[in-house]
Amino acid sequence: MHVEPRGHAPTEIPTPPATPLPPAPVSEPPTALAAGSPTGAPPGPADGLVAALDIGGTKIAGALVDDGGRILVRARRPTPAGEDGETVMAAVAEVLAELAGSPLWARARAVGIGSAGPVDASAGTVSPVNVPGWRGYPLVERVRAAVGGLPVELVGDGVAMTAAEHWRGAARGHDDALCLVVSTGVGGGLVLGGRLHPGPTGNAGHIGHISVELDGDPCPCGGRGCVERIASGPNIARRALALGWRPGPDGDATATGVAVAARAGDPVARASYERAARALAAGIAATAALVEVRIAVVGGGVAGAGEVLFAPLRRALREYATLSFVRDLAVVPASTGTDAGLLGAAAATFGPRPRVTARR
């Protein structure tokens, strides 16, 4: 989507010239992925690039990505999540400025943004729960002004991860899929009928705010008993600490530390992950019953716990997904890794991909 700037005056990055420059040396070796293009054309040196932004509560990552899914240039800044909105935007502008310093910037034809949500793609605004300085923040307008008028596409981080997994990851070839990001928060996105389904505002598939415990703890979103309130990394750690778990010698009190303890057999740590897994299973089963997805792809930092999460998740899913049309639902780990947000923002920006019907 394109939103015209309305009076903001951020530091401007030079607009790329209309004639693409020849390829130039890159700042690091490209991240090579499978051949192919989201637009259906084979990648080549004459193809354009997109600038991709992955904005979350802890980091702002940027990259120049070609339509073969190769990451050619990277930039990154920590998210000043506790600061005011303009301070956060300044960090975004720094990432863009670093990308613009590459000779390859001249070939950039658009900017794609995958942002923590909720987002409103129709208005170009974001209101990330974990970035309180951005409430209804006109991110598309501000980024478009910063890059001298290039087109800007906004999707939620869950939708971005879904686009990445459908393009180059574990959901590739599946017509109907739910993809989840389980990290600081819990987000998600849908592929229906072989195409990304972001919904009118870009939030369709936001499984983190399905209520799975009707009288559960209040969630920052305003609801109660949300999947995110039970299954996100901070809540896994919070619950384990409240039940008596203590970090090991390295002092890691995060969900990663809880996973290490669970793997070593700590019963409190295992119980915290099992509760998270049940919440995720309930949300996945409800989504599958509603829209008949056939695969659930789980990524994000919490998914890095491996079988500590996936074994109880699959067990719980057998209890919740019992109807004939959902009981064969597969649950698999994501395969695009920490680059999912960048690849997904790029995929959404390159435009519709050919409809894939290899598997259902």
Side-chain angles (χ1 to χ4, degrees), residues 130-174:
N130 49 7
V131 184
W134 278 1
R135 289 295 175 267
Y137 191 81
L139 183 60
V140 167
E141 173 188 316
R142 296 299 301 275
V143 168
R144 189 169 189 269
V147 296
L150 283 176
V152 177
E153 183 82 15
L154 171 66
V155 295
D157 55 358
V159 173
M161 179 265 197
T162 302
E165 289 294 323
H166 192 229
W167 181 22
R168 287 290 180 262
R172 188 174 188 179
H174 288 273

Side-chain angles (χ1 to χ4, degrees), residues 28-272:
E28 59 178 78
T31 299
L33 295 169
S37 161
T39 59
D47 288 333
L49 308 176
V50 297
L53 292 173
D54 177 15
I55 302 175
T58 57
K59 61 97 172 54
I60 298 164
L64 296 179
V65 184
D66 72 11
D67 67 359
R70 296 191 310 160
I71 293 177
L72 305 177
V73 181
R74 296 177 186 268
R76 180 175 172 135
R77 296 290 186 279
T79 303
E83 305 296 328
D84 63 89
E86 291 309 302
T87 301
V88 181
M89 183 62 212
V92 174
E94 287 179 12
V95 169
L96 289 168
E98 186 171 334
L99 295 178
S102 165
L104 292 179
W105 178 263
R107 291 166 54 198
R109 67 191 199 204
V111 179
I113 305 170
S115 173
V119 305
D120 187 342
S122 62
T125 61
V126 298
S127 304
V129 172
N130 49 7
V131 184
W134 278 1
R135 289 295 175 267
Y137 191 81
L139 183 60
V140 167
E141 173 188 316
R142 296 299 301 275
V143 168
R144 189 169 189 269
V147 296
L150 283 176
V152 177
E153 183 82 15
L154 171 66
V155 295
D157 55 358
V159 173
M161 179 265 197
T162 302
E165 289 294 323
H166 192 229
W167 181 22
R168 287 290 180 262
R172 188 174 188 179
H174 288 273
D175 276 7
D176 302 291
L178 167 67
C179 298
L180 298 78
V181 182
V182 188
S183 185
T184 308
V186 178
L190 293 166
V191 173
L192 299 176
R195 295 188 181 278
L196 193 67
H197 181 78
T201 65
N203 294 287
H206 200 340
I207 191 174
H209 295 287
I210 291 176
S211 178
V212 293
E213 192 173 63
L214 299 184
D215 298 316
D217 292 342
C219 178
C221 76
R224 277 187 174 273
C226 293
V227 171
E228 180 172 300
R229 185 74 172 104
I230 300 168
S232 71
N235 283 301
I236 289 172
R238 174 188 61 82
R239 184 168 53 248
L241 288 165
L243 293 175
W245 172 77
R246 292 296 176 262
D250 62 359
D252 186 354
T254 69
T256 301
V258 179
V260 170
R263 204 171 287 117
D266 185 292
V268 174
R270 290 180 66 175
S272 189

